Amino acid sequence: MIKKTIEKMKASWHQNSGATMYNIYTLENYLNVRLPADYKTFLTWSNGGEGNVGQNYISLWKIEDIVTLNNDYQIQKYLTKDFLAIGTDGGGVCYGFNLKNDFSFFKCSLGDLDIEELSLVTKSFEEFFEKAMIEEI
C-alpha cells in the first residue's frame, strides 16, 4: 500500500502541499486516462516534490506542470503519446508512465529521447519507490 511506502520515505522527501482532486481530474480529463490510484494518493500527500530515496535522487513534477513539461521536453514527439513523463532524477533522466501498458513505470535519458533507449523500471508507481529504497535505479 502506497501509504506505507510514503511513511518509509517521508523523512527524506521535500514535500509540497498535496494536489487537489480537481487538479488531478483536470489532468486525467485532458489526457483522457485515469491515473493509477497509488499515484493519485501520493499526489494528494505531496504534489510533486523531491528528495533522496535510497541512493536515488527523485524529483517529481507538480500535477499542474506535467503537460507543460512534457511539451517542453517533447516527450510525446519522441516517445509517442503512449508515454507521460512525471519527473526526473534531478538531471538528465526522466521518469514516467507507459499509458498503454497498465501504467508501468519507465526511465529514459532526456538527451536521447528514443523509444529504443527507454527502459521499464517497475510495473507501478509504488513499486518504483520501493525499488528506489533498496537499489540504484
Side-chain angles (χ1 to χ4, degrees), residues 8-19:
K8 291 181 203 173
M9 60 174 261
K10 74 179 185 178
S12 65
W13 189 257
H14 300 284
Q15 178 183 4
N16 294 326
S17 296

Side-chain angles (χ1 to χ4, degrees), residues 8-9 15 24 49 74 84 97 100 104 110 118 122 124:
K8 291 181 203 173
M9 60 174 261
Q15 178 183 4
I24 293 170
Q74 300 182 343
L84 179 72
F97 293 114
K100 297 296 181 196
S104 57
L110 287 167
L118 181 140
T122 59
S124 72

Side-chain angles (χ1 to χ4, degrees), residues 3-4 26 28 49 55 81 91-92 121-123 125 132 134:
K3 290 182 181 186
K4 288 182 181 180
T26 299
E28 288 180 324
Q55 297 179 336
K81 64 181 172 43
V121 178
T122 59
K123 293 181 181 179
F125 179 77
I134 58 173

